[in-house]
Amino acid sequence: FLKIGDLANQDDNHLQQCIDLIFHCLASIYPQSNVQSSVMIICQRFLCSSRVVTVHQFRHILSDAVKNRIDNLVSEHDGIAEKLNAGGSQSLGDKLSKLLPVVRLKEKMDTLFEEENSLQELLKDARSLNDKELADECADELKKLEENKDNLEKRIIDAILPTDEQEMESAILEIRAGTGGDEAALFAGELLEAYTKSARSQGWKIEILNNTKTDLGGVKEASLSITGGGGGRSYYEVDLLDDVSNATGPYGFFKFESGVHRVQRVPINDVRIHTSACSVAVLPSPSDSKSDELLPTSELRIETMRASGAGGQHVNTTDSAVRVTHIPTGITASIQDERSQHKNKVKALRLIAARVWDQRRQEEARERGEARNILMGGGDRSERIRTYNFPQDRVTDHRCKESEYGIVRLLNGGEDGLVNTFSPSMRAQQRERLLEEIQE
């Protein structure tokens, strides 16, 4: 680098050649990293500090794999558009709408590069004429342009990554107390309340499908149905430079909560720290038409029985409880919370449809050799994902290896709740993994 610096000080042509060489050397060593900052540090350290280093044309170079995917998606869009013009089916229109964001973003990126080239030419002319005012204006515009390109590059990469088709679906959220007895059940109740608050903060509708409580007020097992539109807008509805990170539905919002949650704290009737756990499963909830397709009547066995446990006069006096069994898979769902047998049946059918659909999704993923993808997207339910250490007032997520202090605040839901705190890191981790797969 010292020898390159001596060479670069000779003239501008040598300077640009040396920047080119440095960038591509670093890019070959660190293909996944943003090497812009490294280039600037090297240039400032070893090159003539009085020179203006122009590396704009290298800053936003996408990998060949990413560029090829963008070109392929644009070509696919154009081919579908031609078929539609020739009288294609409506299904082609759906495919076209999914590819539209990539096309629009690429057009915007091409426009920004053209604007940048024009500004660079104008900046060069201003410097040759010693017009400092014009040069400063061009530099300011270029700086704003770089910020837009940074944002746009993230948007276009997000647009070409494989997506979870169930991201916008409603969700079934199940919580079960595990090891730890009453303490596990009490914490399951706290998690249930935290998720309920988070869903309400998004404006979604919540329905308790079943909730089996303990004598101490804890939760042995509970299932929630969370329905509603996306928490944000889609790519078609926003300006291309807007943040669309909130464009997700209930399933996409909660899916990273699936797994085993471990709690460490001192029970009220003891002086020692107890460790207990509860499991969370987040399932996409199919639409009514999808449920009918998943659950033909011939594949269901529906049984009625008398409800048991606490609940009032209807318990053990009427056959209000319902158990539905999906015969091919053996999956069952039992509901007895409602006094009405019909309402319990409707809830049980909704719950078993989500369970059957989830099993099929995982089987299809394994057949495609993508089992790990589905686990990263929805959570391995046998994996310990998080530890809540009450003595240290700390929550640690073992997947993204991040810790956050303030358990009470995190369990209160809302903007500072569990989901909003750890979901961005999980999404970033998933994004990097998907990007690596494209690079491969």
Side-chain angles (χ1 to χ4, degrees):
F1 284 143
L2 287 171
K3 291 181 179 179
I4 292 175
D6 292 338
L7 179 66
N9 283 329
Q10 296 178 19
D11 56 51
D12 288 341
N13 290 331
H14 285 97
L15 175 61
Q16 198 58 57
Q17 291 173 14
C18 141
I19 294 172
D20 190 353
L21 177 60
I22 292 173
F23 180 89
H24 287 290
C25 286
L26 292 172
S28 64
I29 298 171
Y30 307 107
Q32 303 298 328
S33 301
N34 181 356
V35 300
Q36 171 70 10
S37 58
S38 300
V39 172
M40 294 305 297
I41 291 172
I42 291 170
C43 290
Q44 291 172 0
R45 171 66 179 83
F46 296 112
L47 306 184
C48 180
S49 59
S50 62
R51 295 183 183 272
V52 178
V53 180
T54 58
V55 295
H56 64 279
Q57 59 266 54
F58 301 113
R59 179 170 183 172
H60 297 275
I61 291 181
L62 301 172
S63 70
D64 290 338
V66 171
K67 288 189 288 186
N68 288 339
R69 182 167 177 81
I70 293 172
D71 293 338
N72 290 338
L73 292 174
V74 171
S75 298
E76 184 180 353
H77 172 276
D78 295 342
I80 293 175
E82 291 180 4
K83 291 180 181 178
L84 275 175
N85 292 333
S89 64
Q90 179 60 37
S91 61
L92 291 176
D94 296 336
K95 292 181 180 179
L96 192 72
S97 64
K98 292 180 180 179
L99 294 171
L100 182 60
V102 179
V103 176
R104 292 185 61 198
L105 288 165
K106 185 178 185 301
E107 291 173 350
K108 184 67 175 178
M109 178 169 279
D110 292 340
T111 300
L112 287 181
F113 274 109
E114 292 176 1
E115 293 177 6
E116 183 184 42
N117 290 333
S118 298
L119 284 170
Q120 287 290 344
E121 289 295 327
L122 186 59
L123 178 62
K124 184 178 179 180
D125 293 340
R127 285 173 177 164
S128 65
L129 296 173
N130 292 324
D131 189 337
K132 187 177 183 304
E133 183 178 354
L134 179 59
D136 289 343
E137 290 180 3
C138 290
D140 290 340
E141 289 299 319
L142 282 170
K143 184 178 179 181
K144 294 177 182 177
L145 201 63
E146 291 297 331
E147 293 175 357
N148 286 343
K149 286 167 65 180
D150 280 338
N151 196 3
L152 189 60
E153 184 176 294
K154 294 176 184 176
R155 299 277 79 78
I156 197 168
I157 289 177
D158 286 339
I160 68 171
L161 291 177
T163 58
D164 187 345
E165 295 181 357
Q166 282 72 49
E167 187 86 6
M168 299 299 295
E169 298 286 353
S170 298
I172 299 292
L173 194 151
E174 299 184 275
I175 301 176
R176 291 185 179 88
T179 57
D182 288 333
E183 187 62 27
L186 289 171
F187 185 65
E190 293 176 43
L191 276 183
L192 177 64
E193 185 178 357
Y195 292 143
T196 300
K197 290 179 179 178
S198 293
R200 284 176 179 159
S201 71
Q202 297 294 317
W204 292 326
K205 179 182 177 181
I206 302 165
E207 182 181 5
I208 297 178
L209 300 181
N210 73 299
N211 187 0
T212 305
K213 294 186 176 182
T214 64
D215 294 337
L216 295 179
V219 172
K220 285 185 179 179
E221 180 180 355
S223 300
L224 291 178
S225 171
I226 305 172
T227 57
R233 299 163 292 171
S234 69
Y235 277 105
Y236 326 112
E237 300 167 320
V238 298
D239 186 273
L240 291 175
L241 298 181
D242 281 352
D243 184 4
V244 294
S245 59
N246 289 327
T248 182
Y251 174 70
F253 183 76
F254 284 104
K255 67 180 182 179
F256 294 109
E257 294 301 302
S258 288
V260 176
H261 297 243
R262 186 179 69 168
V263 58
Q264 296 174 319
R265 63 181 171 186
V266 179
I268 193 171
N269 59 349
D270 205 338
V271 294
R272 298 169 300 173
I273 295 177
H274 284 226
T275 298
S276 54
C278 59
S279 62
V280 175
V282 182
L283 316 176
S285 180
S287 62
D288 292 340
S289 59
K290 182 69 175 178
S291 296
D292 294 339
E293 178 185 336
L294 285 168
L295 304 174
T297 306
S298 59
E299 295 183 354
L300 296 177
R301 182 170 64 248
I302 301 176
E303 303 167 274
T304 60
M305 63 204 75
R306 293 189 176 183
S308 60
Q313 293 180 352
H314 76 293
V315 173
N316 292 321
T317 60
T318 60
D319 291 337
S320 59
V322 175
R323 179 170 63 222
V324 180
T325 303
H326 184 243
I327 298 171
T329 61
I331 295 174
T332 64
S334 299
I335 301 292
Q336 65 172 29
D337 285 37
E338 299 287 345
R339 294 175 181 267
S340 165
Q341 182 187 110
H342 174 71
K343 290 182 179 179
N344 284 332
K345 179 182 175 181
V346 170
K347 288 184 175 182
L349 288 172
R350 194 185 310 170
L351 184 55
I352 200 170
R355 290 175 178 173
V356 171
W357 192 22
D358 182 65
Q359 185 182 76
R360 291 188 181 179
R361 290 176 64 241
Q362 295 193 47
E363 289 174 352
E364 291 171 359
R366 281 191 289 269
E367 289 174 2
R368 295 193 304 265
E370 299 174 356
R372 186 57 187 163
N373 291 357
I374 202 70
L375 296 181
M376 286 296 295
D380 182 352
R381 287 156 210 148
S382 65
E383 175 189 7
R384 186 189 70 188
I385 66 166
R386 205 172 286 156
T387 296
Y388 302 76
N389 190 312
F390 275 79
Q392 298 181 13
D393 196 28
R394 183 186 70 235
V395 179
T396 300
D397 195 297
H398 304 291
R399 298 163 299 178
C400 58
K401 296 178 171 42
E402 288 190 3
S403 295
E404 188 77 17
Y405 290 88
I407 294 181
V408 174
R409 170 180 57 83
L410 293 170
L411 291 176
N412 277 335
E415 293 297 325
D416 294 332
L418 289 170
V419 182
N420 284 323
T421 297
F422 294 105
S423 180
S425 297
M426 292 303 302
R427 289 190 177 279
Q429 185 174 316
Q430 184 185 46
R431 182 180 184 273
E432 287 300 315
R433 179 181 56 82
L434 292 172
L435 189 56
E436 287 174 5
E437 290 178 1
I438 291 178
Q439 304 284 7
E440 293 172 359

